[in-house]
Each structure stands twice: as C-alpha cells, then as structure tokens.
Amino acid sequence: VEGTAVLSTGEAGGTKYLREDGDGTSSWQTAGGGNKIIPLPPIAREAGKESGEGYWSTIELTDNATVYGGGFWTIPDDFSSLTKVECVVYTQATGNMYAGFGSGASADGEASSADQDAIAVTTYAVTANELSFIDISAAFNGNTLGANHIIGMRVQRQGAHGSDTIGNDIELMGWLVTYA
C-alpha cells in the first residue's frame, strides 16, 4: 500500500513516520530530530535569603562569601547524547566571577553521584544587567549518562577571592541543558 492508502495515526501535529521493520511488517515511530533544550531552575536558596525578584526563582551567590547553588535533572527516554550545558547568571555589575562547577550522575540502584566531574575554579567575565550563559559542558564529560539517570549540578562562587572582581551579588538563574 502506498500514498493515500496509508492510514493516519490520528495524532495532531504529524510527528510520526512509518518504518519498514525488516520482518515483512511496518510500524509507526516517533520522529526524532534535532537538539532539545531544557531550562532547569535552581532548587535551593541560602538560608535566610529572600526569594528572587520578579518572576524568576534564583539563588543569590553573594559577594565576599563562598556560596553554593545546585540543581538536578532526570534524563528522559529520548536522550542519546549531551550537547551542551550552560549556567545562566545575572548581576548588576561588570567584572569577573570566580567560580567552579561540578556534576554527578547516578541511576536507580547506584550510589549517589556514582560518576562525578568538575571544572576547576577560575574566572568568568560577566556584564552588568545582562544574562551570562557560561558553557560548563566540560563538567559533565566524566559522567556515564543514559535514560533515567539523575544528573546533579553545582556552582561554587568564591566571592571573597581576589580574582572575583564584581563587587556585587550574582543571581544564579539556573541551567540550560541541550541534548540530542
């Protein structure tokens, strides 16, 4: 059967294709395609801090202190590879943020953060009143990742270090995870 004699799945949006299965049958398959970008908000706040201003849930990475922020993501079934991970921050001052980033991955039945990786603490340039997208993909290279793994991610700002030249708080907006 060809052309118009093929029945529709009835699905709105037309995201399936008919695949020849190689055993004399055919089946409808979900179309893959391209990267997917998932925004991940931060999940914790420093004790005693107010919530973020406006519509964003943020973690305040205070100046003149060592502060951590974290988040996590459960890898979906359609995951095949991690393309990019970015940490998104905002500040009202221009300068260098002195920070390190890390990750851990685990699956059901594995020890918490069975795999871990990190980027050493270094400086990242940020500009006043702009979102900064910091590519932290290297902090995930050492992890074994697959569907249903949980990835934890963290940032550690060392605001009191001499290389941290912002002189202002930084808002951790979250992460953008791009995967195929």
Side-chain angles (χ1 to χ4, degrees):
V1 178
E2 296 182 70
T4 59
V6 176
L7 297 176
S8 169
T9 63
E11 177 184 7
T15 61
K16 298 218 173 185
Y17 68 94
L18 187 61
R19 180 182 77 184
E20 179 183 26
D21 292 332
D23 61 0
T25 65
S26 296
S27 61
W28 288 105
Q29 300 292 317
T30 302
N35 290 326
K36 296 145 191 90
I37 299 176
I38 306 294
L40 304 173
I43 60 170
R45 292 204 45 89
E46 184 179 348
K49 294 291 180 181
E50 297 293 325
S51 61
E53 297 178 12
Y55 299 103
W56 297 98
S57 171
T58 64
I59 293 176
E60 189 173 88
L61 303 175
T62 54
D63 194 33
N64 293 316
T66 297
V67 183
Y68 292 84
F72 75 94
W73 178 50
T74 303
I75 298 176
D77 289 340
D78 64 349
F79 176 88
S80 63
S81 65
L82 194 60
T83 305
K84 183 188 257 187
V85 181
E86 296 169 295
C87 180
V88 183
V89 297
Y90 171 84
T91 186
Q92 295 180 355
T94 296
N96 288 322
M97 175 177 75
Y98 192 65
F101 297 92
S103 69
S106 302
D108 186 27
E110 292 182 340
S112 176
S113 296
D115 294 323
Q116 295 187 24
D117 205 349
I119 298 174
V121 179
T122 191
T123 56
Y124 297 89
V126 295
T127 303
N129 303 314
E130 293 181 5
L131 291 177
S132 294
F133 293 75
I134 302 168
D135 187 342
I136 61 168
S137 303
F140 297 81
N141 292 340
N143 294 324
T144 302
L145 305 175
N148 300 315
H149 276 84
I150 292 180
I151 301 176
M153 49 202 71
R154 72 180 182 284
V155 57
Q156 176 201 44
R157 178 186 180 199
Q158 295 182 14
H161 193 278
S163 295
D164 191 300
T165 61
I166 296 169
N168 202 338
D169 294 342
I170 295 174
E171 295 296 327
L172 171 61
M173 306 299 288
W175 293 265
L176 290 177
V177 176
T178 305
Y179 72 97

